[in-house]
Amino acid sequence: MKRHKLLLPALLLGLVIFAGAAASTSQGTTDGTTGAAATGEVTLSGWASSPTETKLLKAVIRGFEKTFPGVKVNYAPISGDYPAAMLANFAARKPADVFYVDSNVAPDWIKQRLLEPLDGFVAQSKLKTAAFYPSLLNGFRGPDKKIYGFPKDWSPLAMETNNRLLTAAGVKAPTTWAELSAAARKLRGKVPGGRPICLSPSWDRMLAFVYQNGGSFLNSTKTKSTVNTPAVKQAAEFYVGLIKSGLAGTPTQLGVGWCGEALGKEKAAIVFEGNWVVPFMADTFPSVAFTSNKMVRGKQEGNLAFTVSYSMARDSKNKPAAWQLIRYLVGQPGMKTWTSKGLALPSRSDVKPAAGRAAFIAAAPSARPWQFAPAFTKVMDVANNELTAVLEGKQTIAGMLKKIEQTANDAL
Amino acid sequence: MAATVVRKQRTLGSARVREAFVGYAFIAVPMAIFLTFFIYPLVYSAYISRYDWGVFGKIEALGWENYRTLVNDEIFWRAIKNTLLYTAVVVPLEMALALTLAVIVNAGIRGKGFFRSAFYFPSLASSAAITAIAIYILSADGLLNALIGGERSWFGDSDTALWSIAGLNAWTTSGTLMLFYLAALQAIPTDVYEAAAIDGAKTWRTFWRITFPLLKPGHFFVAVVSMIGALQLFDQSFIVSKGSGGPNYSTLSAVLYLYRTAIADVQFGYAAAIGIALFALIFTLTLIQRLLFGKAETA
Amino acid sequence: MAIGVAPLPGADRSIPARTPAERARRVLTYAILLAIAALFFVPFLWTISTSLKTLPETTGFDLLPDSPSLRAYREVLTEFDFLRYAANSFFLAGVITLANLVLCSVGGYAFARLRFPGREVLFMLVLATLMIPDQLRLVPVFLLLSGWGLVGGFTGYMLIKLVLASNLFFMRQYFLTIPKDFEEAAKLDNAGHFKTFWKVMLPLTGPALAAITILTFQGIWNEFFWPLILLGFGDPSKYTVQLGIAQFSFQYQTLWPQLMAASVIAILPIVVIFVVFQRYFVAGVVASGVKG
C-alpha cells in the first residue's frame, strides 16, 4: 500500500520535471537573448537604404552571431532590382532564408506562397506580438490572418516646414486643411523660385489626404474599390486644387527630383515626406533648418505607413535558425540598435525612437500600411498616370476616379 | 571521256556536301547558344502564356484568355503605340547621326582620333549613368533650359517626355552605330573613289551616288539593329518614370509594361503573352524591312 | 576637303588650304566639329567634377568644385573592393570578347559565303534572338542555369554571352561586302574552306573585328541586368564594376561623389581599349588586297 501511494506522486513529479525540461529546451525566451540550439548557415538579404543603416545592421548581426555561436549569417544585400532578383531565386527554389518584404509587395508574395507563415514559431517561442503596432503587423498578415513577416521599422508621413521661410512670413505650422491653405496663401510669393508647398503627383502621398477625409481606396474586405466616392473626390479636389492654384507645385514643376530635394533647395516651405527625409537633409543640405510637424488632419487623422518586414522563405533550408535570426532582429535590443540613429522608426511600441521623431510616432494610430491587393501594381500605375493627366488638364477628377475604380475592380 | 565527266560530277557533288558540312560546323556553337538561351525561353514563354503562371508554376490553364484580355487591354495598346512612335522617330535620327559622324571621322581631317573618341564617348558610359545625367540636365531649371530658355521639365511633361528619351538614346546610340558605319566605309575599296575622282565627280555627288549605295549592307544592318533595339526600349523609360510609365502614360514602353506585369504583379503568364505579342510585332516589322531592302544585301 | 572619300594612297593630308575661302571654310568646319565634340564631352566633365565635390555641393550645377578633393576616390578604392570588381569585369569582358571574335567571325563567314541547306532560315533564327527582351528571358534562363548549378559563378554568365547575335549579324554583313574576287583567287589556289577563311577573308576584316572588340568589351563592361541576376546575390567578391557602382545608390539617397568617382574609374579601361583598337579603322586595307 505505501509503495503505491508514493509511486504515483513520484511518477507525476517525474513527469512534470521531465516535461519542464523538455519544454525549456525547445522554447526560447521572448526577447531572444537565450535560446535553443539552432545551428547552420542563414542567408539574410534585402536592399541597402543607406550606408549608415548597413553599418548598424551589420553590428546587430554580429551581436546575433555572438549570442548564437552555432549560426552563421551570410549577409547578402542586393543593390539594384530587388524584386527581379528575388523572384528569380524564388522560382529556382533557392531563395535567401530571411529577407526584406515591402508592405506593397506583401500581398503578392503571400499569395504566391513565397513566405513561410510564422505563427507556429511565434507560439513555440512564446513571442508576445502585442508590442508591435497592430496596423503594421496586420500589413503582413495574409488573408488567412497568419503572420508572414514582422515589421522591422516604418515611417509615416509628416509635414516638414522650413523654419526661416515660415518665420519670415509670420506663419505657424498648420494643423488642418483650412490652416494649410491659409498658410500657403500667406507664403505665396515669399518662396523665391518656388512655391509654398511641394506635393508629389502620386497616390503614395495623396492617399493620406484621402484617408483624412474619410475616404479609402478599397473596402475593408478588399473586394471592391471605393475610390469613386465623394469623400475621395473631395480630397482629390483639395490636393489637385492646391497645385492648380499655384499654392503647391509638383517636384518636376519645381525642378527637383522629389519633395525632399525641394525642401533642401528651399523651393518649397512645406513638404510632406517620411522619416527618410531627416537623414537626407542632414547629409545633403545640412544648412537648411526645418521642423518635422505632425501631419495635418482633415475630418479626421489619416496617414500612410511605409513599412518593411523580415520574412522567411517557404523554401528556406534552415527554418529554425532563420526564425532565431528574425526574432533577434525584431527583438527589443536588435531594433533599438538600428533605429538608434533615427534612420527609421521602431515598429515596436516598447522601443523608443531617436530624438525628434515625435511628429512621426504620433501618426501610429492613424497610419494605414501602403498596400492593396495582389496584382495591384497595374492599378496603381493607372492611378498615378491618371493623376498626372488631371494635373496636365487632360483628364477630370471624376474621370480619373471612374477609370481607377474600373481598373481596380477588374483586378480584384 | 565518260569517266572524266562522271568524276567531275562526283567531285562537284561531294564539294557541295563538304561545304555544307563546314558551314554547319562553323555555326554549330553559336546556334547551340541561341537555341538554349533564346529560342528555348521563347518557346517556354509561348507555353506559359496560355496559363495563369505564378512563381512556382502553373496556377490555372487559361487557353487563349490571356491574349483575349491583351487585345482589350487599353494600357497594352498605349504601350505599343508609344513604342512604335518612339521607334519611328529614333531609328532615322540615330542612323542619320551615326552616318554623319562616321563620314566626318572618315574624311581627311586632322584630329581624327580625337573626334572619333569624342563622338563615341556617350556610348561608353552605362545607360544608368547617362540617364541620371540627362535627368539633371533636362530638369525644369537644368542646363538645357539655361541654354535655350524656357521652364519646361522635359521628362516631366507628358508631351515631351518620350521625345526627350528619343533624343537621349539617339545621342548615345549614334556612337555605337557610327563604329559600324565606319567599318563599312573602310570596306569600300579606294579605287572606287579614284575612279570617281578621275571622272571629275564633286564630293557631295560622290557621296550620294557612290558611297551611299555601296553602304547598303551597312544600312541594312544599322537599320535592323537600331529598330529592334528601339522596339525594346526599357532602361530610360523605367528610370525616368520610376517604373510607372508616366507622366500620363507617355513613357510607357512595351517592355516596361511586360516588366511591371512580371516582376511587380507577379503574373508571369500574362507577361509572357505580352512578350510573345511584342516578339511577333518585331518579327513582322523586321521581315517587312528585309523584304523591302533585302535584295540589296548581297552586294 | 573631301567628305566621304577615303584619302588616296600617297596623298599628303597636310596640304594647307590654298585660297582664303577654303581656309575660312576649313576653320568653320573645325569650329563646328569642336563645338559638337564639346557637347559630347560636357556630361563627362560634369561627372568628373562631381566626383571631386562633397555631397551637399553636388546639388548645384557648377562645373568647378569649390575645394576639389580625392576623398571619394580614396573611399571607393579602399572601403569598397573596387579593384577586384574592375578585375572581375575585365576578366569577364575579355573572355567574352575573345569568344565572340572567334565564334562570330567564323559563323558570320559561314552565313555569308558558305552554302548549306536551311541557311536563310537559320539566319532568321539568329535575327529572331535579337527580338526577345531580356526581361522575358529572365525566369527560364535563370531556372536553366540554376538547374545546372551555374548561378553565382562566372561560368553561367559567360555561357549566355558567348555569342552575341548582333556581332554575328554584323560579321555576316561585313563578309558580304568583300568582293568575291578574293575567294575566287583562293579557290584557284585550291584552298580549302577553312584555309580560305583563315588566310584570305579574315585578314580583310580588320575594321570589323576592331568594332566588335570595342563594342563587345564595352557592352559587357557596362551591363547591369544579367550580372545582377546571376552574380549579384551574395558573394561580393564576384561583383562586376556596375554592381559595385550600384552600391552607392540607396533607397532614399545617392552618394553622388562616390558614384561618379566609381564611374570614372569604371570608364578608364574602356577608354583605353577604345583608343587602342580604333587605330584599326584604317583605310586602304581592302585596297592593298586587290592590288596585291
Side-chain angles (χ1 to χ4, degrees):
Chain A
M1 283 300 123
K2 261 194 190 160
R3 259 179 301 154
H4 284 272
K5 269 207 184 124
L6 278 174
L7 196 53
L8 201 51
L11 219 54
L12 283 169
L13 192 60
L15 272 172
V16 168
I17 294 174
F18 180 78
S24 65
T25 51
S26 64
Q27 286 173 6
T29 54
T30 52
D31 66 357
T33 49
T34 64
T39 57
E41 208 180 292
V42 173
T43 308
L44 170 67
S45 189
W47 58 82
S49 359
S50 77
T52 325
E53 188 180 302
T54 310
K55 280 205 193 100
L56 291 174
L57 183 57
K58 285 193 177 155
V60 178
I61 293 174
R62 276 197 297 275
F64 171 81
E65 283 180 327
K66 246 192 247 153
T67 320
F68 296 97
V71 181
K72 178 156 183 327
V73 177
N74 175 18
Y75 178 52
I78 299 178
S79 342
D81 198 341
Y82 182 76
M86 289 298 289
L87 286 177
N89 282 277
F90 281 131
R93 303 241 175 207
K94 293 181 192 159
D97 300 288
V98 179
F99 45 86
Y100 292 8
V101 177
D102 190 294
S103 62
N104 201 21
V105 304
D108 285 289
W109 289 19
I110 294 174
K111 180 167 179 224
Q112 296 278 334
R113 305 173 61 76
L114 305 175
L115 308 179
E116 174 82 6
L118 301 172
D119 297 69
F121 293 106
V122 170
Q124 209 180 44
S125 321
K126 292 224 179 114
L127 179 62
K128 293 196 176 57
T129 58
F132 291 97
Y133 292 113
S135 56
L136 299 182
L137 189 58
N138 288 337
F140 298 105
R141 278 186 203 270
D144 53 4
K145 297 289 177 249
K146 292 205 187 144
I147 300 177
Y148 285 93
F150 277 94
K152 70 180 191 76
D153 53 37
W154 71 299
S155 177
L157 295 172
M159 184 178 61
E160 288 84 18
T161 53
N162 184 311
N163 297 351
R164 183 181 62 87
L165 290 173
L166 257 66
T167 323
V171 170
K172 258 182 27 186
T175 56
T176 63
W177 284 15
E179 285 178 25
L180 181 63
S181 311
R185 275 195 289 274
K186 263 189 153 173
L187 281 162
R188 200 203 282 266
K190 303 234 175 75
V191 183
R195 298 196 190 180
I197 311 175
C198 178
L199 289 178
S200 179
S202 52
W203 281 81
D204 60 4
R205 298 288 181 272
M206 191 165 93
L207 192 56
F209 287 85
V210 167
Y211 288 151
Q212 287 159 22
N213 203 37
S216 64
F217 208 93
L218 298 174
N219 65 355
S220 53
T221 48
K222 294 197 179 172
T223 50
K224 215 168 66 96
S225 169
T226 51
V227 83
N228 196 6
T229 48
V232 179
K233 188 151 181 276
Q234 255 179 6
E237 277 167 359
F238 175 67
Y239 197 84
V240 170
L242 283 173
I243 299 175
K244 289 215 163 150
S245 65
L247 291 173
T250 63
T252 39
Q253 281 171 341
L254 298 173
V256 293
W258 60 299
C259 283
E261 203 183 328
L263 182 69
K265 288 191 172 169
E266 302 200 278
K267 294 215 169 147
I270 303 176
V271 309
F272 299 93
E273 286 293 333
N275 181 59
W276 50 79
V277 82
V278 179
F280 168 77
M281 290 294 288
D283 285 341
T284 322
F285 298 100
S287 55
V288 175
F290 70 101
T291 317
S292 306
N293 310 284
K294 209 164 149 222
M295 184 63 158
V296 292
R297 52 175 294 152
K299 293 192 186 139
Q300 60 192 43
E301 305 220 336
N303 212 321
L304 292 167
F306 298 96
T307 176
V308 173
S309 76
Y310 279 118
S311 294
M312 189 193 303
R314 207 180 274 259
D315 284 331
S316 164
K317 306 269 180 343
N318 193 349
K319 292 190 188 166
W323 169 244
Q324 206 115 69
L325 180 59
I326 293 182
R327 216 181 57 199
Y328 186 86
L329 289 170
V330 300
Q332 266 178 310
M335 192 174 293
K336 200 154 192 279
T337 309
W338 83 62
T339 55
S340 59
K341 293 269 164 72
L343 301 166
L345 301 169
S347 50
R348 297 173 69 117
S349 50
D350 56 2
V351 174
K352 271 202 352 217
R357 302 298 193 271
F360 295 96
I361 290 288
S366 58
R368 296 199 230 174
W370 172 247
Q371 69 176 192
F372 301 94
F376 232 65
T377 318
K378 179 170 158 176
V379 178
M380 291 322 292
D381 283 347
V382 168
N384 283 328
N385 276 308
E386 292 294 321
L387 182 56
T388 46
V390 166
L391 288 168
E392 284 187 0
K394 299 198 174 120
Q395 171 69 290
T396 61
I397 293 184
M400 161 179 83
L401 295 178
K402 193 150 174 281
K403 197 71 182 297
I404 301 174
E405 182 190 35
Q406 196 189 355
T407 321
N409 284 331
D410 282 343
L412 286 168
Chain B
M1 191 80 94
T4 39
V5 171
V6 168
R7 208 177 303 126
K8 266 218 186 101
Q9 279 177 340
R10 253 212 310 223
T11 43
L12 272 177
S14 63
R16 272 283 162 83
V17 169
R18 204 175 42 227
E19 186 174 339
F21 181 70
V22 174
Y24 286 129
F26 275 14
I27 65 169
V29 175
M31 293 315 292
I33 301 284
F34 293 143
L35 283 170
T36 318
F37 296 112
F38 290 86
I39 304 300
Y40 160 68
L42 187 65
V43 171
Y44 177 94
S45 298
Y47 178 70
I48 73 172
S49 68
R50 303 191 65 225
Y51 292 84
D52 181 1
W53 196 270
V55 175
F56 293 135
K58 80 175 81 163
I59 296 178
E60 201 193 321
L62 292 177
W64 298 108
E65 193 175 311
N66 274 337
Y67 291 100
R68 274 198 288 270
T69 318
L70 198 62
V71 167
N72 292 322
D73 188 347
E74 236 181 38
I75 316 245
F76 170 70
W77 288 112
R78 185 61 201 265
I80 293 287
K81 180 174 141 211
N82 283 346
T83 310
L84 287 174
L85 275 176
Y86 167 82
T87 306
V89 164
V90 134
V91 170
L93 195 59
E94 271 173 0
M95 289 178 67
L97 208 54
L99 186 57
T100 313
L101 294 175
V103 154
I104 290 175
V105 167
N106 195 43
I109 56 171
R110 284 205 219 141
K112 227 174 162 148
F114 170 75
F115 285 112
R116 205 150 46 201
S117 314
F119 295 150
Y120 188 61
F121 236 65
S123 309
L124 286 179
S126 64
S127 68
I130 292 273
T131 313
I133 295 175
I135 290 178
Y136 230 10
I137 294 183
L138 293 177
S139 67
D141 58 354
L143 204 58
L144 184 65
N145 283 343
L147 288 176
I148 67 172
E151 263 214 23
R152 82 179 349 164
S153 161
W154 295 88
F155 283 130
D157 189 331
S158 68
D159 290 325
T160 56
L162 192 62
W163 310 122
S164 305
I165 295 180
L168 177 64
N169 274 340
W171 181 64
T172 49
T173 320
S174 58
T176 311
L177 300 179
M178 169 191 81
L179 281 191
F180 288 128
Y181 267 133
L182 261 182
L185 278 173
Q186 304 299 336
I188 298 175
T190 47
D191 37 341
V192 166
Y193 296 119
E194 277 176 30
I198 291 173
D199 282 347
K202 288 229 175 74
T203 59
W204 193 242
R205 200 176 250 203
T206 315
F207 178 71
W208 275 115
R209 289 291 183 81
I210 300 181
T211 319
F212 197 79
L214 281 176
L215 283 174
K216 271 212 180 108
H219 288 317
F220 178 64
F221 174 79
V222 170
V224 168
V225 162
S226 178
M227 182 187 79
I228 292 179
L231 288 167
Q232 294 178 53
L233 171 69
F234 175 74
D235 285 346
Q236 287 76 13
S237 175
F238 181 79
I239 296 174
V240 159
S241 70
K242 301 202 182 77
S244 70
N248 194 12
Y249 307 102
S250 55
T251 62
L252 182 69
S253 71
V255 177
L256 181 60
Y257 188 50
L258 189 162
Y259 173 85
R260 291 298 262 179
T261 310
I263 304 299
D265 274 348
V266 201
Q267 289 184 318
F268 289 169
Y270 193 61
I274 298 172
I276 296 292
L278 181 63
F279 174 79
L281 176 68
I282 302 178
F283 194 83
T284 314
L285 287 176
T286 309
L287 211 57
I288 294 175
Q289 216 178 18
R290 191 140 196 255
L291 289 174
L292 284 178
F293 304 109
K295 295 227 184 87
E297 294 204 84
T298 39
Chain C
M1 185 175 58
I3 304 281
V5 174
L8 305 177
D12 181 6
R13 277 184 230 159
S14 54
I15 295 177
R18 299 266 174 75
T19 65
E22 272 182 40
R23 183 171 289 159
R25 214 179 60 169
R26 183 169 268 217
V27 167
L28 185 66
T29 315
Y30 274 108
I32 295 179
L33 287 177
L34 277 171
I36 298 177
L39 209 67
F40 278 58
F41 262 132
V42 162
F44 293 92
L45 296 178
W46 184 81
T47 305
I48 296 177
S49 93
T50 304
S51 67
L52 300 170
K53 293 180 180 171
T54 60
L55 188 57
E57 257 188 281
T58 62
T59 55
F61 280 126
D62 353 303
L63 264 183
L64 296 167
D66 287 338
S67 45
S69 94
L70 292 175
R71 187 182 61 94
Y73 288 94
R74 238 196 324 265
E75 211 178 294
V76 162
L77 287 171
T78 55
E79 275 185 42
F80 297 84
D81 216 352
F82 228 79
L83 289 178
R84 173 177 290 263
Y85 302 155
N88 289 341
S89 280
F90 211 89
F91 173 69
L92 288 170
V95 169
I96 291 172
T97 303
L98 234 68
N100 268 271
L101 282 174
V102 169
L103 294 170
C104 291
S105 51
V106 166
Y109 177 67
F111 276 116
R113 286 288 187 248
L114 297 178
R115 283 157 302 178
F116 47 93
R119 187 181 74 174
E120 295 308 303
V121 171
L122 286 173
F123 185 64
M124 270 320 267
L125 205 75
V126 172
L127 277 192
T129 65
L130 287 172
M131 306 174 197
I132 306 172
D134 280 342
Q135 291 75 7
L136 189 66
R137 294 194 294 138
L138 168 62
V139 173
V141 168
F142 190 84
L143 287 178
L144 212 55
L145 289 176
S146 179
W148 292 335
L150 292 175
V151 173
F154 289 153
T155 323
Y157 181 62
M158 290 195 290
L159 195 59
I160 66 174
K161 293 278 161 183
L162 217 56
V163 189
L164 297 179
S166 48
N167 288 343
L168 187 58
F169 183 19
F170 182 64
M171 288 310 291
R172 173 204 187 248
Q173 297 306 101
Y174 200 80
F175 278 118
L176 284 176
T177 63
I178 297 179
K180 290 215 169 108
D181 328 5
F182 290 94
E183 285 171 300
E184 320 260 298
K187 209 172 276 181
L188 288 176
D189 285 347
N190 230 340
H193 290 296
F194 189 74
K195 215 180 208 181
T196 314
F197 168 73
W198 184 252
K199 286 264 163 72
V200 179
M201 300 299 275
L202 194 59
L204 297 172
T205 55
L209 293 179
I212 289 191
T213 305
I214 294 174
L215 291 168
T216 310
F217 194 93
Q218 171 230 305
I220 300 297
W221 188 267
N222 281 335
E223 191 172 30
F224 185 72
F225 185 70
W226 286 110
L228 173 74
I229 301 292
L230 297 175
L231 298 169
F233 221 116
D235 195 1
S237 70
K238 294 243 161 71
Y239 275 15
T240 63
V241 144
Q242 299 300 325
L243 290 177
I245 291 179
Q247 291 184 323
F248 297 109
S249 305
F250 297 90
Q251 195 181 9
Y252 296 115
Q253 215 183 26
T254 305
L255 297 178
W256 287 109
Q258 288 85 337
L259 193 141
M260 290 304 182
S263 303
V264 168
I265 297 176
I267 273 196
L268 287 176
I270 311 276
V271 172
V272 168
I273 297 264
F274 180 73
V275 165
V276 164
F277 281 90
Q278 61 147 358
R279 279 191 223 153
Y280 291 95
F281 289 96
V282 170
V285 173
V286 177
S288 56
V290 168
K291 293 241 163 86

